[in-house]
Amino acid sequence: MSLRDRKRARTRQALVEAATTLFERDGYDETTVADIAAAAEIGTRTFFSYFPSKEELLFPESDARVRAAVEAIADRGPHEGPADVLLRALHRVGDDNDDLSGRLAALRLRYIREIPAVRGRALQIQTDAQGEIARHLAAAFPEQLDEVGAAALTGAFVGAVTAALQVLLADLDRLDDPAAVQAAVRRATDVALRPWVTGAA
Amino acid sequence: MSLRDRKRARTRQALVEAATTLFERDGYDETTVADIAAAAEIGTRTFFSYFPSKEELLFPESDARVRAAVEAIADRGPHEGPADVLLRALHRVGDDNDDLSGRLAALRLRYIREIPAVRGRALQIQTDAQGEIARHLAAAFPEQLDEVGAAALTGAFVGAVTAALQVLLADLDRLDDPAAVQAAVRRATDVALRPWVTGAA
DNA sequence: TTGCAAAACTGCATCCGATGCAGTTAACGT
DNA sequence: ACGTTAACTGCATCGGATGCAGTTTTGCAA
């Protein structure tokens, strides 16, 4: 990796950290892009060559989860059906929830509820990920699932977990506690997916 | 209804129609709020007392579908389970898809794919509607569903239909044909919900 | 009908996010 | 060491959105 690339990665990281600190101190709307750029010691204009928009700061590695899920599909056993694989993939994604120790994740969870632009971006990322997973799932089970069926199955899983999680997080004021969030995620998957684990594959 | 209210409703309608025409002619980003306000013969500033944002023009009656679904839940038969009721509600919502003759609906479907802000707003509306439906469902079946379970079930249904519909609409270039869209919606619900209609309630 | 209070409309100034452009600076490979 | 390429930066600009203050319109009661 060249010096250029290393420097660039460092600046990117500095931007995320500066944004995290400023968001925590002043709030999302109160923190301007100019503030963040200044804190990371780059020009305001240059910010937009690192992130296309302010929201994106909250989702610095949105690909990681998708990759984990795709891996889980690839690592399927010989006797697993589509629902089993999907279930395993979702659990693995839930476990990997600790991206970078929490501070940013806590902000993200709060802002997804409070700031429309952030919520919109989060939902779009989820939709895209869902589509990607469905594509891989259909490819893995060509005889049992067509494109539409795979999308429907994936949508049902993700939709169930997301909705359940939302209810569980709604009355959770201490979003800063990673353990509580982790527990909520696990309970959400359990409740949401119970209808499948007992039924047919 | 007072003269004031009637006039206000007329202006609101004029704004939606002006926006529809301008969007069709020039595109979403190319049409400014000032253009729309001018076409409806009100000041630019006044626009924001009718709609809080530009996107909102594309969702003028987002409550209607929720009301239809809630009605469907209320009209349940004595032997229907939660899944049956939800299925019927979803079908009714699908049938009511012809809001105001299509032009706006066609634009909406296109822009949900193309413009991030619109997609974000659409997903937020869907999420809110989902939550509302789940609340009513839980209230209707207090012994079989708790809050989390109702949210998970509703999320699964809506998620499945939405995902399936998205695949079907992806290769549909002629979005202007209401019949084709209607058919896609119906097929999406059929495919997505097949696992439930045969299984247990 | 008249007069008053509430609501709606409007222009103006302002802020912020985002983009195009052009000039400068820094890093890379030879 | 040098030319090429990429990155950084300031500047100007645009559109969406909000607060404010002044004017106009509507509603209602005297």
Side-chain angles (χ1 to χ4, degrees):
Chain A
M1 182 184 277
S2 66
L3 190 152
R4 226 181 225 169
D5 294 340
R6 268 183 293 138
K7 193 172 180 183
R8 195 168 171 79
R10 248 189 50 223
T11 303
R12 187 186 157 93
Q13 186 59 27
L15 280 172
V16 174
E17 284 173 14
T20 304
T21 302
L22 289 176
F23 286 163
E24 285 173 344
R25 203 190 60 184
D26 301 332
Y28 185 82
D29 284 330
E30 289 71 22
T31 305
T32 69
V33 171
D35 294 337
I36 300 169
E41 296 182 320
I42 64 171
T44 305
R45 184 65 182 85
T46 311
F47 170 87
F48 291 98
S49 84
Y50 281 89
F51 294 93
S53 71
K54 189 180 170 183
E55 303 96 74
E56 220 69 18
L57 282 167
L58 293 167
F59 307 93
E61 297 136 23
S62 56
D63 324 324
R65 270 187 266 259
V66 177
R67 279 199 302 272
V70 170
E71 267 179 39
I73 295 177
D75 297 349
R76 68 185 182 277
H79 296 306
E80 283 185 317
D84 303 308
V85 172
L86 211 41
L87 191 82
R88 200 159 41 76
L90 274 200
H91 272 142
R92 181 180 308 188
V93 169
D95 292 343
D96 283 356
N97 211 14
D98 54 347
D99 51 17
L100 287 181
S101 75
R103 278 170 67 203
L104 186 64
L107 283 172
R108 192 189 309 140
L109 280 177
R110 173 156 18 137
Y111 292 152
I112 281 179
R113 295 187 307 175
E114 294 176 0
I115 280 82
V118 175
R119 177 175 351 199
R121 183 68 185 120
L123 288 169
Q124 175 165 358
I125 288 175
Q126 192 206 65
T127 302
D128 292 349
Q130 210 173 293
E132 179 91 1
I133 293 172
R135 265 190 348 98
H136 282 270
L137 195 68
F141 297 93
E143 297 168 10
Q144 307 168 53
L145 291 174
D146 61 353
E147 262 189 277
V148 180
L153 184 62
T154 308
F157 271 68
V158 174
V161 172
T162 302
L165 191 56
Q166 203 165 338
V167 171
L168 287 172
L169 289 180
D171 350 293
L172 202 61
D173 32 6
R174 296 257 314 115
L175 282 177
D176 310 36
D177 183 359
V181 174
Q182 183 97 1
V185 171
R186 185 152 284 279
R187 188 172 158 227
T189 61
D190 288 347
V191 171
L193 305 182
R194 182 169 305 150
W196 277 277
V197 296
T198 60
Chain B
M1 179 183 279
S2 68
L3 190 148
R4 222 180 226 170
D5 295 340
R6 267 183 293 137
K7 192 172 179 181
R8 198 168 169 79
R10 246 189 52 225
T11 302
R12 186 187 157 91
Q13 186 60 26
L15 279 172
V16 173
E17 285 174 13
T20 304
T21 303
L22 289 176
F23 286 163
E24 285 174 342
R25 204 190 58 184
D26 301 331
Y28 185 82
D29 284 330
E30 289 72 21
T31 305
T32 70
V33 170
D35 294 337
I36 299 169
E41 295 181 323
I42 64 171
T44 304
R45 184 65 181 84
T46 312
F47 170 88
F48 290 98
S49 84
Y50 281 90
F51 294 93
S53 71
K54 189 181 172 185
E55 303 96 73
E56 220 70 16
L57 283 165
L58 292 168
F59 308 92
E61 297 136 25
S62 56
D63 324 324
R65 271 187 266 259
V66 177
R67 279 199 302 272
V70 171
E71 269 180 37
I73 294 177
D75 297 348
R76 67 185 182 279
H79 297 306
E80 283 185 316
D84 303 309
V85 172
L86 210 42
L87 191 83
R88 200 159 42 74
L90 274 200
H91 272 141
R92 183 181 303 189
V93 170
D95 292 343
D96 284 355
N97 210 13
D98 53 348
D99 54 14
L100 289 183
S101 76
R103 277 170 68 204
L104 187 64
L107 283 173
R108 192 188 309 139
L109 281 177
R110 176 158 14 139
Y111 291 153
I112 280 179
R113 296 187 306 174
E114 294 176 1
I115 281 80
V118 176
R119 178 173 351 196
R121 183 68 185 121
L123 289 168
Q124 175 166 358
I125 288 175
Q126 192 207 65
T127 301
D128 292 349
Q130 209 173 295
E132 180 92 2
I133 293 173
R135 264 191 349 99
H136 282 270
L137 196 67
F141 296 94
E143 298 168 9
Q144 307 169 52
L145 291 175
D146 62 353
E147 263 190 277
V148 180
L153 183 62
T154 309
F157 270 69
V158 174
V161 173
T162 301
L165 190 55
Q166 203 166 337
V167 171
L168 287 172
L169 289 179
D171 349 293
L172 201 62
D173 33 5
R174 296 254 314 114
L175 281 178
D176 309 37
D177 184 357
V181 174
Q182 185 96 2
V185 171
R186 185 152 281 281
R187 189 173 156 227
T189 61
D190 288 348
V191 172
L193 305 182
R194 183 169 306 153
W196 278 277
V197 297
T198 60

